[in-house]
Amino acid sequence: MSPRTANLAAVLRALRAGPLSRTQLAARCGVAKSAVPGLLAELADRALVRPAGVLPGNGRPSRLVELDGEDAYALALRIETDRLSAVVADLSGRVLAEQAETVDVAAAGLQRSMDELAHLAHRVLPGPPVGVAISVPGLVDSAAAVLRFAPALRWRDAEIAGLMAARLNLPADAVAVDNEANLGALAESLTGAGELFYLSGGTAVGGGLVSGGAIQRGARGFAGEVGHIAVDPSGERCSCGRTGCLETKANLAAVLRAAASPGDPLHDPALGVEGRVALLQHRVRRGDQRAVTAVHELGVALGVALSTVVDVLDPDVVVLGGYFAELGEWLVEPVRVELAAHAPSGLHARVVPSELGLRAPLRGAAHLAAERLFADPTLAPVTEEASV
């Protein structure tokens, strides 16, 4: 990357936080104030920035500049066991279009599922995307953009990025792939939560750690896989071969089995994850004892596992994501009680439900998709002369 491209990227990234003056941009980006007008002119020619009024204050008013990028499309895609989703956002993260469809992904298989996901993408995209990011429920080698293993999908070593790039007629490096928990953690970090651990609940249980504003992936990219922390030595045998893993207690199917007998509408796949969780919420609110007990025991299991996470990682905040977020009003307290009982004295972390709920991975994917342009603004074509 040339020094000028690096400076363009620094200016564009600085504007991601909000409008700034030329003086402010020079200070934040470490570039000469005299260089800022030329950088802004090029970014304006690429339709990435626009004037934003003046900075209030005494003396000569300072003109402000902000992100434009309304025609720079970031495409976020999500693969779940029972649903495919697509969202298009602009550079500010504003959602421009979204669609989802119910699909039995494991039954459909890799190729057909990718065909369906590409069709969704074509339906929501108003133009070529600046970047694409795909959220998946499994172990991801993010550097290679390969889904190494997704037991719920029955996929192994799936070259997701290449398959989608070919279907969207994009270069392979335009497509990123990441684990849904990592992307949920990324989305939560955008609110300025600091050092956080994001616990994702769904057909499986996973976690994502954000430290220093970046996802922490570990040596092989698999950090955060907390679903196999032992929480019940006398519990069920897990698919991993061990006994009493968190995942045996906290995956959605296990909680629904604890909350209702076979044949109950809670087990109806036609309702989807959102429908079944909403029904479980309703039963807890009306005092259905079996549902109340199932959710409380879920909170205890989460607290036991998270006490280990907090001991080792010492995050500022633990965010309950995925379907855990939808049950947050009943989960937070038992999690806090278990953390207090198990964590060393003085070691505390706030526990909060995700405000983004089930949408967090898609929001994180949209942010990641846009990163490609923020890293290299010259990917946006020159459109017209514009004054800033």
Side-chain angles (χ1 to χ4, degrees):
M1 180 183 294
S2 71
R4 181 171 180 81
T5 299
N7 286 339
L8 288 169
V11 170
L12 199 63
R13 286 189 189 279
L15 292 172
R16 207 170 195 175
L20 294 170
S21 69
R22 288 163 172 75
T23 300
Q24 291 170 327
L25 283 168
R28 294 196 186 190
C29 301
V31 300
K33 187 177 178 180
S34 60
V36 171
L39 295 171
L40 289 175
E42 180 169 345
L43 291 172
D45 289 346
R46 297 180 186 277
L48 297 178
V49 301
R50 62 190 175 197
V54 297
L55 184 67
N58 298 324
R60 184 177 180 180
S62 297
R63 288 185 293 167
L64 294 171
V65 180
E66 67 182 1
L67 283 181
D68 187 351
E70 292 182 352
D71 296 325
Y73 308 118
L75 175 62
L77 303 173
R78 187 178 184 188
I79 301 171
E80 301 171 81
T81 57
D82 62 348
R83 185 162 74 165
L84 301 174
S85 308
V87 162
V88 174
D90 64 15
L91 292 190
S92 70
R94 181 171 62 97
V95 173
L96 304 176
E98 60 184 313
Q99 282 196 21
E101 64 181 41
T102 300
V103 176
D104 184 340
V105 174
L110 176 60
Q111 297 295 338
R112 183 179 156 203
S113 295
M114 297 304 290
D115 288 341
E116 291 296 326
L117 193 57
H119 291 157
L120 266 183
H122 284 301
R123 289 204 293 269
V124 297
L125 276 169
V130 298
V132 181
I134 307 174
S135 167
V136 292
L139 296 175
V140 176
D141 180 345
S142 58
V146 173
L147 174 61
R148 291 300 180 197
F149 184 44
L153 305 180
R154 302 198 290 270
W155 295 357
R156 187 183 291 273
D157 293 329
E159 297 183 354
I160 301 288
L163 293 171
M164 185 52 59
R167 285 163 169 80
L168 298 181
N169 195 28
L170 295 171
D173 66 1
V175 183
V177 181
D178 213 332
N179 171 268
E180 63 181 9
N182 282 341
L183 292 172
L186 177 61
E188 292 293 337
S189 73
L190 302 179
T191 65
E195 309 283 305
L196 71 87
F197 185 81
Y198 176 89
L199 186 67
S200 175
T203 54
V205 177
L209 174 67
V210 172
S211 180
I215 298 170
Q216 303 302 304
R217 302 182 181 279
R220 285 161 292 279
F222 303 155
E225 290 299 317
V226 298
H228 300 288
I229 293 176
V231 297
D232 183 4
S234 61
E236 297 178 20
R237 190 168 180 81
C238 182
S239 60
C240 73
R242 288 177 280 188
T243 298
C245 293
L246 175 63
E247 199 159 288
T248 67
K249 298 278 191 180
N251 74 77
L252 180 59
V255 173
L256 295 179
R257 284 196 301 270
S261 301
D264 188 281
L266 272 178
H267 304 299
D268 183 359
L271 294 177
V273 171
E274 292 184 19
R276 282 175 284 177
V277 173
L279 182 55
L280 181 59
Q281 286 177 317
H282 174 71
R283 292 188 182 180
V284 175
R285 286 200 177 96
R286 78 179 191 204
D288 180 304
Q289 193 53 53
R290 185 165 175 177
V292 169
T293 300
V295 172
H296 178 78
E297 290 181 352
L298 169 62
V300 172
L302 296 181
V304 172
L306 285 169
S307 65
T308 298
V309 172
V310 170
D311 286 355
V312 174
L313 300 178
D314 189 23
D316 293 319
V317 60
V318 171
V319 181
L320 303 180
Y323 89 88
F324 299 148
E326 310 304 309
L327 301 173
E329 62 186 283
W330 304 288
L331 292 179
V332 167
E333 189 55 29
V335 169
R336 286 175 176 163
V337 168
E338 291 301 319
L339 285 181
H342 291 91
S345 177
L347 191 58
H348 301 288
R350 289 188 299 115
V351 180
V352 298
S354 167
E355 294 185 2
L356 300 171
L358 296 167
R359 296 181 56 79
L362 270 172
R363 178 173 174 184
H367 185 85
L368 181 61
E371 274 294 310
R372 181 169 179 262
L373 184 61
F374 280 96
D376 184 1
T378 64
L379 293 172
V382 173
T383 57
E384 60 184 21
E385 294 294 327
S387 174
V388 292

